[in-house]
Amino acid sequence: MIYLHLVWEYLKIGLFSFGGGYATLPFLYHLSEVYGWYSPKQLSDMIAVSSITPGPVGVNAATYTGFTTSGIIGAVLATSAVVFPSLICVILVAKLLNKFRENRCVQSAIYALKPAGCGLLTAVALNLFRENVNHIWAYILFGILILMSLKVKKEPLIYLGLSAFAGLVLGFFGIV
Amino acid sequence: MQVNFWNIYKTFFKIGTMLLGGGYVILPLLQSEIVDKNGWAKDEDIVEYYALSQSLPGIIAANISIFTGHKLMGIRGAVAALSGVIMPAFLAIVLIADILSELVEKHSVQSMFAGVAVGVVILVILTIKEMWNKSIVDKFTCMIFVLAFILASVKVSPVWIILSCVVIGIIYGAVNSKEVK
């Protein structure tokens, strides 16, 4: 029964959370109230942890709830359920897009779609900047990394590794 | 690298492993692994998938991986990319589930996270720089950019932003007889 509930709830989250990032969070809090699969405290810990573990927070949350409520099978089921609607929707849209790519309307739509995506990401960047770069040491680290990006080729791992290391060192000296 | 199921899975597994600090890093990672290193797709494709992913249900990093996988090898490619990108996330959580709460309270973990959070901002900014070059090509696209940015800043749902920009694009394309790119 718990398996069915897990699959059902995470299918719903996969199907109804639009806009990504933290759009899944309200659903997750709702689940904690309705089923008590985890406490709100556990959820906020999970969200904190998901930023240092690989993967998007929605996937992490699904795996975590599945695992804590019903072990490894629950983890597999919940994780699969949360991404399954994506798989179906995206494949459908991708197929349609391939079929009608030469169509004039589709071309104008894509022509407008790209700058819109870029605008959305810029708003995200601004939010992330406000949330994450809010301390003197963070400004300094930010400045150093930006200067570095002028010289060094963009290799995401270098930036993630360096910033994690900087955080550790600053933490060690009690600055963070 | 040759495009086959296993190579797609491996590449996305690698991307999934580096997907720290939320799903946004998926864009710079795709640009680095898929566009630069393997030449499997163009920057323009990634920008397009990102915009589309925003307006479809589900987790964006998953959506954009499915789009990319589907472009490479149809449905099998989509499954390879999706399973590859979520596998590291799955394994990591299963491994640390029991010690999760203690882990969060560890000071070193918190400070590492604070550091990574700054790195994520840099990566997203660098990605915007590249997206800008590929997507803002004239006055009209610049206007769409500003519109999307403002609407997103006042917390309009991305779904509506993308849909309205698409409608504006189609109208603009119909009114202007000149070829759009």
Side-chain angles (χ1 to χ4, degrees):
Chain A
M1 222 24 218
I2 179 80
Y3 293 146
L4 273 179
H5 274 149
L6 274 174
V7 170
W8 174 241
E9 289 302 333
Y10 278 98
L11 274 178
K12 276 200 292 191
I13 293 182
L15 195 56
F16 293 113
S17 61
F18 283 89
Y22 292 92
T24 45
L25 295 189
F27 290 95
L28 297 174
Y29 277 105
H30 178 71
L31 282 189
S32 88
E33 285 161 21
V34 176
Y35 291 95
W37 284 337
Y38 41 80
S39 64
K41 161 84 168 73
Q42 269 177 309
L43 182 61
S44 60
D45 284 351
M46 215 279 318
I47 293 159
V49 158
S50 91
S51 47
I52 49 156
T53 57
V57 62
V59 174
N60 290 161
T63 312
Y64 181 67
T65 353
F67 190 73
T68 45
T69 48
S70 50
I72 192 84
I73 297 172
V76 173
L77 287 176
T79 312
S80 315
V82 81
V83 292
F84 186 71
S86 287
L87 192 64
I88 304 300
C89 292
V90 172
I91 288 176
L92 279 179
V93 170
K95 277 200 186 305
L96 281 174
L97 209 61
N98 285 344
K99 203 172 168 193
F100 296 106
R101 196 166 277 278
E102 298 309 313
N103 177 292
R104 226 191 120 73
C105 275
V106 172
Q107 284 188 347
S108 343
I110 292 174
Y111 170 70
L113 204 59
K114 291 181 200 167
C118 195
L120 287 176
L121 192 65
T122 308
V124 165
L126 204 65
N127 268 335
L128 285 177
F129 183 85
R130 275 196 215 119
E131 274 171 40
N132 299 346
V133 189
N134 50 11
H135 199 279
I136 182 74
W137 67 264
Y139 285 113
I140 295 170
L141 180 59
F142 183 84
I144 293 172
L145 289 175
I146 278 284
L147 284 179
M148 204 183 97
S149 75
L150 301 175
K151 293 274 173 208
V152 185
K153 206 178 147 287
K154 197 186 79 188
E155 171 63 69
L157 196 56
I158 296 180
Y159 290 93
L160 292 175
L162 267 181
S163 52
F165 179 71
L168 263 181
V169 172
L170 290 166
F172 182 75
F173 290 107
I175 302 170
V176 181
Chain B
M1 230 184 337
Q2 200 195 335
V3 175
N4 60 39
F5 188 89
W6 180 236
N7 281 344
I8 296 176
Y9 181 84
K10 266 197 313 199
T11 307
F12 275 90
F13 188 93
K14 191 177 166 196
I15 292 173
T17 312
M18 293 189 281
L19 200 60
L20 301 165
Y24 296 113
V25 200
I26 188 86
L27 286 168
L29 288 173
L30 285 173
Q31 283 177 332
S32 146
E33 297 297 319
I34 303 289
V35 179
D36 296 347
K37 287 189 191 151
N38 285 311
W40 284 351
K42 289 180 293 198
D43 271 331
E44 289 96 310
D45 299 326
I46 307 293
V47 181
E48 183 187 314
Y49 299 153
Y50 175 70
L52 286 168
S53 298
Q54 290 265 13
S55 48
L56 292 172
I59 295 153
I60 288 178
N63 289 355
I64 194 167
S65 303
I66 300 169
F67 267 119
T68 315
H70 187 268
K71 179 205 159 68
L72 295 175
M73 222 180 106
I75 293 179
R76 291 181 61 212
V79 172
L82 175 65
S83 46
V85 85
I86 61 172
M87 188 53 80
F90 178 81
L91 294 176
I93 294 295
V94 167
L95 281 176
I96 62 161
D98 292 333
I99 53 159
L100 190 121
S101 295
E102 297 148 53
L103 207 61
V104 175
E105 259 126 59
K106 268 206 175 7
H107 183 238
S108 58
V109 171
Q110 287 175 349
S111 48
M112 202 165 83
F113 164 56
V116 168
V118 177
V120 168
V121 182
I122 301 276
L123 286 176
V124 172
I125 291 175
L126 295 181
T127 306
I128 294 170
K129 216 174 90 188
E130 275 164 46
M131 281 174 88
W132 175 277
N133 294 333
K134 308 284 172 184
S135 58
I136 285 98
V137 289
D138 52 22
K139 260 189 209 154
F140 174 73
T141 40
C142 188
M143 192 201 84
I144 292 281
F145 170 85
V146 173
L147 179 72
F149 173 73
I150 293 174
L151 290 177
S153 303
V154 296
K155 308 281 176 219
V156 176
S157 157
V159 186
W160 297 119
I161 300 176
I162 294 290
L163 283 180
S164 44
C165 288
V166 162
V167 171
I168 296 172
I170 292 173
I171 295 171
Y172 179 81
V175 173
N176 281 272
S177 50
K178 76 174 168 72
E179 275 305 302
V180 291
K181 278 174 208 168

